[in-house]
Amino acid sequence: MRKLLLLLSIALLLYACQTDKPKNNDSIEFKNVNQSVAQSFSDLNKLDTFKIELTGRKPEEMVLTFTIKNFDGKEIYNVKLKGTDLLGNTDPNLDLSKEKAQIVFLKTIADDFFAEDNFIEPAVMPEDKPDSYVPDKALYEELKKSGLNGFKYRLGKEKNLYIAWSEKEKKVKIYYNCC
């Protein structure tokens, strides 16, 4: 009888110590996003490096960092976007009430950041006319002449920032701010 109790106790102990516990269906595998791409931006004949990083495990901790380094390796643009800010400016028809959906949404934004249509070549066409979404008409005219490329990224449902290099001011500036 003692042997039987001992065997049952060992079996029960082994069962309790198993590491293959079922996963919670609401859990999500998440790896930080870290991508880069080379594109001409501050010079039509040289490539700058665009880099995006999405870090954090929970939406309230997540930060999307976007940087551009010129062909010499000098950082010419850096912006940090909080995950909560990106979630707060979304389509109200999206159901982002659960943390899993929020994480998937933020990861999708990061994964699509370097979509081909976000690189605008050239930033402004010579025949384009500035409208009410152009914050800096002088930059707009400068871009028409220089033919430099632009890049757009999303800040929310109806907000995209269009940026380009100002050769005159030697910095990245917003040349269009729209839907």
Side-chain angles (χ1 to χ4, degrees):
M1 181 71 168
R2 280 190 143 169
K3 284 185 179 180
L4 182 59
L5 281 173
L6 182 62
L7 285 174
L8 280 172
S9 296
I10 292 173
L12 193 58
L13 184 62
L14 288 173
Y15 179 75
C17 292
Q18 282 183 349
T19 58
D20 292 339
K21 294 185 179 171
K23 288 185 177 179
N24 180 353
N25 284 343
D26 288 337
S27 69
I28 181 170
E29 274 293 312
F30 180 78
K31 293 182 181 174
N32 289 339
V33 175
N34 187 342
Q35 300 174 5
S36 62
V37 65
Q39 292 282 333
S40 64
F41 184 73
S42 63
D43 186 307
L44 291 174
N45 300 314
K46 297 177 183 170
L47 298 178
D48 295 337
T49 302
F50 289 66
K51 185 175 182 180
I52 187 81
E53 289 182 281
L54 179 64
T55 56
R57 292 279 171 232
K58 296 180 178 264
E60 61 272 7
E61 300 167 355
M62 295 174 95
V63 176
L64 188 137
T65 303
F66 171 44
T67 58
I68 303 173
K69 289 187 178 179
N70 71 7
F71 48 88
D72 287 330
K74 179 184 175 202
E75 187 172 277
I76 58 174
Y77 193 72
N78 184 319
V79 66
K80 291 183 185 301
L81 307 169
K82 293 180 184 177
T84 51
D85 291 345
L86 292 169
L87 291 169
N89 293 314
T90 60
D91 185 338
N93 297 321
L94 283 176
D95 181 12
L96 296 175
S97 58
K98 294 190 179 354
E99 185 177 86
K100 180 179 179 180
Q102 294 172 8
I103 292 171
V104 168
F105 178 78
L106 291 170
K107 187 168 179 341
T108 301
I109 288 175
D111 286 339
D112 294 343
F113 208 81
F114 294 137
E116 191 174 314
D117 63 339
N118 288 343
F119 293 92
I120 303 153
E121 298 178 9
V124 179
M125 298 298 286
E127 65 276 1
D128 288 349
K129 304 274 187 249
D131 59 23
S132 61
Y133 299 110
V134 174
D136 185 338
K137 306 254 191 278
L139 173 63
Y140 198 82
E141 293 303 319
E142 177 189 337
L143 291 170
K144 276 185 179 186
K145 293 174 185 162
S146 71
L148 287 174
N149 298 325
F151 182 77
K152 76 171 181 178
Y153 63 94
R154 175 183 167 169
L155 289 179
K157 176 188 176 221
E158 303 243 352
K159 186 160 184 177
N160 289 305
L161 286 184
Y162 293 68
I163 59 173
W165 177 255
S166 169
E167 187 60 39
K168 182 179 177 183
E169 294 185 44
K170 302 290 186 209
K171 66 181 184 178
V172 175
K173 295 182 68 179
I174 298 169
Y175 71 92
Y176 204 71
N177 186 352
C178 180
C179 32

